[in-house]
Amino acid sequence: MAMNTPKNGPQPIGTASIISLAAGKAYPLGSTMTQHGVNFSLFSANATKVVLCVFDPETHVEVAQYILTHKTHHIWHGELVGAQAGLVYGYRVFGPYQPELGHRFNHHKLAMDPYSKQLVGDLKYDNAIYAYDIDDVNADLSFCTKDNAPYVPKSVVVDTQAIAKIKIAPIKRELNHSIVYETHVKGFTQLHPELREQSRGKFAGLGSVEVIDYLSQLGVTAIELLPVHAFVDEPFLIEKKLTNYWGYNTVGFFAPHPHYLSSDDISEFRQMVSSLHQAGIEVILDVVYNHTAEGNHLGPSYHFRSIDNASYYRLMPNDARFYINDTGCGNTLNINHPQVLMLVMDSLRYWVEVMGVDGFRFDLASCLGREHYGFDPGSGFFDALMQDPVLCQVKLIAEPWDIGPGGYQLGNYPVVFSEWNDRYRDTMRRFWRGDDAMLSEFAKRFHGSSDVFEHNGRGPSASINFITSHDGYSLHDLVTYQAKHNEVNGEENRDGHQENFSCHYGVEGETDNEAINTVRLRQKRNFLATLLLSHGVPMLLAGDEAGHSQQGNNNAYCQDTPENWFNWQKIDWDLVDFTRQLIKLRKQFPLLCHKQFIHQPQALFDNGIAWFNKLGEPMTKVLWGEYHCKTLSVIVTGNLLENDIGAVPENTQALLLLFNADDTQHTFSLPKLTHFQAWACLLHTQDNTDGQSNVINPDGQYRLQSRSLMIFHCNFQGVEHDSH
């Protein structure tokens, strides 16, 4: 129905009873329980009138309207006396509809509260979700009077104090000791055979004993969840009968995604965090504050567009009809505006203080650090984070790029940030694929990318190392496909990364060829071992340890299908066990998790890292430049007791790693160090075909199979000399 402009005061619709409206307060923003009812507060600098609309909680039919007549510093507010938690509401915001000037007010469009703690109702695709007539030749310059309320989600009043009563045991783990597991709430739990039906694909399933037992036995210390903020499907996906599986299309920065709830109680999320914490597992959220689901100038209207488009979005300076699109998703949130910055900061604090999470991974984070003149490590957002007494203490991870000007900023983030290191990803893929001239780059990435991060005083944990992530191939597909196979996405295979640095080793896709499958398995183990033994923070993509495949799709963002979910019935348990051993080894040796960068050791007990060629000779500039060489050794030394300053011999350890990325076997001479000689094999990725995988001959030589690695360990022996 088309809504008429309400007169001043509460306007009942149908037989709904009238709740009295008091002045209320401007802060906090959103809907907040008070002693007498619920306070409502909404920012809009350019609105001329704001109407609070109340809906029947069962039918979601609009039953009352209240004009918020009080305004403080562009914040419209009022208190509904007698209102309670569970009240369903939205806003109709009046103002000019002048797209050329950046204004797109349309009171016929119900707007969700940007501070909604909970949303109810699914998005139903209809022409009414647009503020303009999509059939009009004037496109977004036209005006639509059709009511969208029957088709869009609505906000719900939540008693957050009740949620916060769920106890969460704190975890005091520094990031350098973290092993991150990137996963998806639905995809990881939907097919678990031991979960109750109502828990599958939900927060309750992720917090279940069955799922947590798997994570605990694997040994990961943190899960990084793909977006759990409320999101909707893009219209173009709906038209193709696809869905936004990943969730990077946010409509609510405070509300958990409704479809991940097994009931209408959002405390389920905090209970999940509580259960994971009891197992020593932290929760990191992948958050999307760079854009919203409203898209470009031809997109739908859900909240910001009809609340105050000119304030909430970055618009083109010469034509405010159009949006700055540094995200590739149609719009860019205007985080430079103080009120929008407050919205984001309030959201982050809410997820820490009320929902209990341990950190955030910021999608397209360069957008958040971009001022009008370009990216700035001292931007308002970064400064706000660093001074915030709550947020400066949680784990902060940046995806250090976007498609805007100067968008690639790896290594340039403030000291409190860690960063997804795509240079690590690409280098390790190329090295193990057997590309030429990779030795030096491999060593830098293995070392934690000190050349990228050490300049501003950050340590190895600034580098979030990964071989694969949600965005791209799974590990299985990385060694199975050389070309992407994204046809099911409906974009004629044009989407997704073009250069994946992958290799299929003889046949594209799955094969029964035993020799090819043997090489592929060896390569998967090489990647896993390299990842978990490198300095920096390892991030493992869920399913990589189990042989999960996306059938060659390297952009599975719209594939919410059983083929794309974690298949608990088809797990490669041998690979899982190998991954467990690697994680256990990483935890056993603190020298793999140094807080500061280590370099060539200068004294006997120094933490250090030293590189050698396959003959056991120290690497030189000439050796680093050997174009076709694909073999390398490294010794990492350190104290077994990380916090014991002033090491003693019995606590000094060394790990020796041999790498052979060549397609032929090579014989390695182990480096001869005075105090490290009795090397014992810990782990290897060889096939054991010759029965000699652990044998070092009397001359200190070791034969290493093609495309494989070896890990040795040695305790410090003797104190006859003062240095290495």
Side-chain angles (χ1 to χ4, degrees):
M1 61 180 176
M3 303 302 299
N4 296 318
T5 303
K7 300 175 183 178
N8 288 337
Q11 303 296 313
I13 297 177
T15 59
S17 60
I18 300 175
I19 305 174
S20 62
L21 182 69
K25 298 179 179 179
Y27 297 100
L29 286 150
S31 59
T32 308
M33 300 292 297
T34 68
Q35 184 178 355
H36 303 292
V38 179
N39 190 79
F40 293 88
S41 176
L42 179 75
F43 165 77
S44 179
N46 295 292
T48 57
K49 183 182 292 186
V50 174
V51 179
L52 172 66
C53 304
V54 176
F55 293 79
D56 183 278
E58 300 295 331
T59 64
H60 294 179
V61 172
E62 194 166 351
V63 294
Q65 296 181 338
Y66 302 89
I67 298 175
L68 301 183
T69 56
H70 292 82
K71 184 170 71 167
T72 304
H73 302 154
H74 300 312
I75 296 174
W76 305 73
H77 52 89
E79 181 181 12
L80 276 186
V81 179
Q84 299 177 350
L87 183 142
V88 179
Y89 71 100
Y91 292 103
R92 297 186 185 276
V93 184
F94 291 71
Y97 188 83
Q98 299 171 319
E100 303 98 322
L101 300 179
H103 301 306
R104 295 176 180 267
F105 292 98
N106 187 335
H107 61 275
H108 302 283
K109 310 303 171 183
L110 185 78
M112 298 175 237
D113 184 351
Y115 277 77
S116 298
K117 308 302 189 298
Q118 183 174 2
L119 296 176
V120 294
D122 290 330
L123 171 68
K124 301 178 181 66
Y125 185 72
D126 187 270
N127 290 355
I129 69 174
Y130 298 90
Y132 64 96
D133 183 350
I134 64 171
D135 296 321
D136 194 295
V137 294
N138 294 313
D140 61 309
L141 299 180
S142 63
F143 188 76
C144 176
T145 59
K146 187 176 181 181
D147 181 25
N148 72 338
Y151 309 103
V152 295
K154 294 155 188 74
S155 304
V156 181
V157 175
V158 172
D159 182 1
T160 58
Q161 291 184 349
I163 298 172
K165 291 179 181 179
I166 298 173
K167 299 295 184 183
I168 297 180
I171 297 177
K172 300 296 183 182
R173 181 186 296 113
E174 296 192 49
L175 189 57
N176 60 303
H177 287 294
S178 295
I179 300 165
V180 181
Y181 191 75
E182 190 195 26
T183 192
H184 186 282
V185 172
K186 180 177 182 180
F188 193 57
T189 62
Q190 185 67 35
L191 296 180
H192 199 298
E194 298 177 18
L195 293 183
R196 295 177 301 166
E197 185 67 33
Q198 61 265 39
S199 296
R200 295 179 183 177
K202 315 296 183 183
F203 297 124
L206 194 55
S208 68
V209 172
E210 294 83 356
V211 170
I212 292 177
D213 280 351
Y214 176 85
L215 295 171
S216 297
Q217 291 171 23
L218 185 61
V220 297
T221 69
I223 56 172
E224 182 176 303
L225 299 179
L226 267 70
V228 300
H229 290 176
F231 61 88
V232 295
D233 299 324
E234 295 91 334
F236 79 91
L237 286 178
I238 295 173
E239 292 174 1
K240 292 192 291 185
K241 295 182 169 41
L242 295 170
T243 59
N244 189 318
Y245 172 61
W246 287 349
Y248 293 92
N249 203 43
T250 307
V251 290
F253 293 135
F254 294 79
H257 187 53
H259 289 274
Y260 294 164
L261 294 167
S262 60
S263 68
D264 60 358
D265 185 357
I266 65 170
S267 67
E268 179 179 330
F269 182 92
R270 185 174 170 95
Q271 185 59 60
M272 174 200 73
V273 175
S274 177
S275 299
L276 285 160
H277 268 228
Q278 289 178 34
I281 300 172
E282 295 179 292
V283 178
I284 299 170
L285 300 187
D286 193 336
V287 288
V288 188
Y289 296 112
N290 55 76
H291 75 282
T292 77
E294 293 189 301
N296 64 15
H297 63 291
L298 299 178
S301 291
Y302 299 132
H303 39 44
F304 298 134
R305 182 164 280 153
S306 53
I307 292 174
D308 191 353
N309 185 72
S311 294
Y312 284 101
Y313 290 117
R314 294 187 65 203
L315 306 178
M316 296 297 291
N318 297 324
D319 191 344
R321 176 186 177 187
F322 300 102
Y323 296 80
I324 292 174
N325 184 20
D326 291 339
T327 66
C329 300
N331 63 57
T332 304
L333 201 66
N334 185 18
I335 203 167
N336 306 116
H337 191 292
Q339 208 66 51
V340 181
L341 176 61
M342 179 185 289
L343 169 72
V344 173
M345 297 297 292
D346 287 348
S347 168
L348 291 168
R349 276 191 299 271
Y350 174 80
W351 286 97
V352 173
E353 295 181 316
V354 177
M355 290 304 199
V357 305
D358 304 280
F360 305 95
R361 178 266 190 188
F362 294 91
D363 180 64
L364 301 183
S366 293
C367 281
L368 307 179
R370 185 174 284 110
E371 300 288 350
H372 295 295
Y373 50 82
F375 179 84
D376 185 352
S379 71
F381 173 67
F382 293 152
D383 286 348
L385 271 181
M386 294 176 72
Q387 66 78 42
D388 189 283
V390 173
L391 299 177
C392 72
Q393 298 185 62
V394 304
K395 293 174 171 64
L396 303 173
I397 301 170
E399 182 185 40
W401 53 78
D402 65 16
I403 67 167
Y408 188 78
Q409 292 293 334
L410 181 69
N412 294 329
Y413 279 73
V415 67
V416 297
F417 273 89
S418 296
E419 303 174 33
W420 269 29
N421 190 346
D422 63 323
R423 287 183 64 180
Y424 179 94
R425 175 198 64 196
D426 294 348
T427 296
M428 297 313 177
R429 289 184 178 193
R430 293 186 62 198
F431 175 79
W432 283 113
R433 188 173 67 172
D435 288 12
D436 291 325
M438 294 302 300
L439 293 186
S440 177
E441 186 71 7
F442 174 87
K444 291 174 183 176
R445 302 310 137 232
F446 183 90
H447 183 227
S449 298
S450 61
D451 59 322
V452 177
F453 298 109
E454 195 173 17
H455 65 91
N456 63 353
R458 287 191 283 176
S461 60
S463 178
I464 304 296
N465 298 333
F466 63 103
I467 304 295
T468 61
S469 68
H470 70 275
D471 189 5
Y473 281 141
S474 69
L475 181 61
H476 178 84
D477 292 355
L478 183 65
V479 299
T480 307
Y481 298 92
Q482 259 171 227
K484 58 189 173 73
H485 296 271
N486 301 357
E487 291 81 4
V488 292
N489 293 355
E491 299 181 43
E492 299 180 348
N493 206 32
R494 294 190 302 265
D495 60 310
H497 297 302
Q498 301 302 317
E499 180 51 81
N500 299 283
F501 304 116
S502 62
C503 185
H504 57 43
Y505 304 100
V507 173
E508 181 74 358
E510 304 297 337
T511 180
D512 294 328
N513 186 303
E514 185 176 346
I516 293 175
N517 286 331
T518 297
V519 173
R520 289 175 176 176
L521 177 58
R522 201 158 67 240
Q523 288 289 65
K524 283 193 274 188
R525 293 177 183 239
N526 289 333
F527 281 124
L528 289 168
T530 304
L531 175 65
L532 286 160
L533 299 176
S534 295
H535 286 191
V537 180
M539 186 186 77
L540 182 67
L541 174 64
D544 278 357
E545 80 285 3
H548 173 69
S549 174
Q550 297 172 176
Q551 294 78 49
N553 192 329
N554 76 347
N555 189 32
Y557 76 103
C558 58
Q559 297 303 314
D560 189 3
T561 64
E563 291 76 23
N564 201 31
W565 302 333
F566 190 103
N567 191 335
W568 294 86
Q569 304 291 343
K570 292 179 63 177
I571 291 177
D572 183 343
W573 287 108
D574 287 338
L575 192 59
V576 170
D577 186 60
F578 181 77
T579 309
R580 286 175 183 160
Q581 293 180 60
L582 287 166
I583 292 175
K584 183 179 179 181
L585 190 153
R586 183 177 182 88
K587 292 178 178 179
Q588 182 181 350
F589 294 102
L591 59 158
L592 295 172
C593 308
H594 285 297
K595 212 169 179 182
Q596 303 300 325
F597 283 106
I598 58 173
H599 297 282
Q600 185 75 28
Q602 299 298 315
L604 189 59
F605 301 124
D606 277 357
N607 297 324
I609 185 167
W611 295 91
F612 305 86
N613 67 2
K614 71 175 183 178
L615 300 179
E617 301 167 339
M619 292 295 287
T620 64
K621 185 175 181 179
V622 172
L623 292 175
W624 284 120
E626 288 191 351
Y627 188 78
H628 297 294
C629 183
K630 299 175 178 62
T631 58
L632 197 59
S633 301
V634 63
I635 291 181
V636 182
T637 56
N639 188 2
L640 187 62
L641 302 179
E642 184 184 33
N643 297 322
D644 184 9
I645 299 174
V648 293
E650 56 265 30
N651 290 332
T652 303
Q653 309 278 304
L655 292 177
L656 166 63
L657 287 80
L658 312 181
F659 302 98
N660 179 14
D662 209 344
D663 56 7
T664 61
Q665 178 177 276
H666 284 273
T667 298
F668 283 70
S669 295
L670 304 192
K672 298 186 187 314
L673 301 180
T674 304
H675 300 291
F676 297 103
Q677 295 178 358
W679 296 103
C681 171
L682 294 178
L683 211 62
H684 65 88
T685 62
Q686 299 189 96
D687 300 333
N688 272 340
T689 54
D690 59 3
Q692 302 294 313
S693 64
N694 298 338
V695 176
I696 303 173
N697 70 27
D699 296 326
Q701 293 184 326
Y702 183 84
R703 195 169 58 208
L704 192 60
Q705 188 179 10
S706 66
R707 295 193 179 96
S708 62
L709 61 78
M710 194 81 191
I711 309 158
F712 295 95
H713 167 258
C714 185
N715 292 316
F716 183 89
Q717 299 165 331
V719 289
E720 299 173 4
H721 304 287
D722 294 331
S723 67
H724 288 233

